């Protein structure tokens, strides 16, 4: 696999997981069935999304790398270009931080799971026999993709 193919694969996994909130392994299972709680395993291929406590910190780091820099820059730009008072400007940007972090929480968490999958931290367990042939085909296909 060439470097360009690897980069395309990584971008695809990040897009599918981060934007569509799908499992990075099979690209079919949903990662969230609740507003703020990630599922334990993929409903389609059985991949565990988080194996250790504290793995959600990566998603929070993604959120903190996006929202606060935008709000800090926005605060100073608005302060420089307009005569808006400090309290009104500050209140707007604090609300922006709260709403922005809430809106992108699931997406940044899903992107972190995709990053973990890319680096080998998210994988299907080898265990139990499957009862449905369709699910087994998906698991086999995901393992074949993983070996590439």
């Amino acid at each position: 696999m060439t470097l360009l193919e690897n980069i395309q694969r990584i971008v695809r996994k990040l897009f599918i997981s981060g934007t569509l909130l799908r499992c990075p392994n099979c690209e079919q299972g949903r990662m969230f069935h609740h507003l703020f709680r990630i599922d334990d395993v993929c409903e389609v291929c059985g991949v565990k999304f988080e194996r250790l406590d504290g793995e959600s910190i990566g998603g929070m780091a993604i959120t903190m790398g996006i929202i606060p820099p935008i709000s800090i820059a926005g605060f100073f730009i608005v302060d420089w270009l307009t005569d808006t008072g400090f309290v009104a400007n500050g209140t707007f940007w604090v609300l922006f931080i709260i709403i922005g972090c809430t809106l992108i929480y699931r997406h940044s968490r899903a992107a972190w799971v995709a990053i973990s999958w890319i680096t080998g931290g998210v994988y299907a367990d080898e265990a139990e026999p499957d009862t449905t042939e369709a699910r087994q085909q998906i698991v086999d296909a995901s393992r074949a993709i993983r070996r590439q």
Side-chain angles (χ1 to χ4, degrees):
M1 190 175 263
T2 67
L3 178 63
L4 182 59
E5 289 171 337
N6 277 333
I7 291 171
Q8 288 173 339
R9 183 172 154 239
I10 289 169
V11 169
R12 176 181 165 81
K13 293 297 179 179
L14 287 173
F15 176 77
I16 287 173
S17 293
T19 307
L20 303 177
L21 304 176
R22 298 288 180 195
C23 170
N25 191 51
C26 67
E27 300 178 357
Q28 294 179 3
R30 291 175 45 197
M31 295 177 73
F32 289 88
H33 285 89
H34 306 284
L35 187 58
F36 293 116
R37 191 174 45 149
I38 194 168
D39 293 347
D40 292 331
V41 296
C42 176
E43 61 194 8
V44 177
C45 67
V47 164
K48 282 188 179 179
F49 295 129
E50 293 181 343
R51 294 193 172 270
L52 302 171
D53 289 338
E55 287 186 358
S56 62
I57 303 257
M60 288 186 250
I62 292 171
T63 301
M64 292 298 111
I66 295 171
I67 298 297
I70 291 172
S71 62
I72 291 168
F75 175 85
F76 287 113
I77 290 170
V78 169
D79 189 49
W80 181 57
L81 294 176
T82 67
D83 291 334
T84 307
F86 176 80
V87 174
N89 192 14
T91 302
F92 172 80
W93 290 107
V94 166
L95 289 174
F96 175 83
I97 290 172
I98 293 168
I99 294 168
C101 288
T102 303
L103 291 177
I104 72 165
Y105 170 78
R106 291 171 19 139
H107 300 282
S108 61
R109 190 97 184 261
W112 185 253
V113 170
I115 291 169
S116 294
W117 182 87
I118 290 165
T119 59
V122 173
Y123 51 88
D125 290 333
E126 295 289 333
E128 62 210 57
D130 192 13
T131 55
T132 64
E133 186 177 325
R135 180 172 173 196
Q136 188 60 41
Q137 289 174 350
I138 292 170
V139 171
D140 292 340
S142 70
R143 288 182 182 149
I145 290 170
R146 189 88 171 114
R147 283 188 279 259
Q148 291 179 356

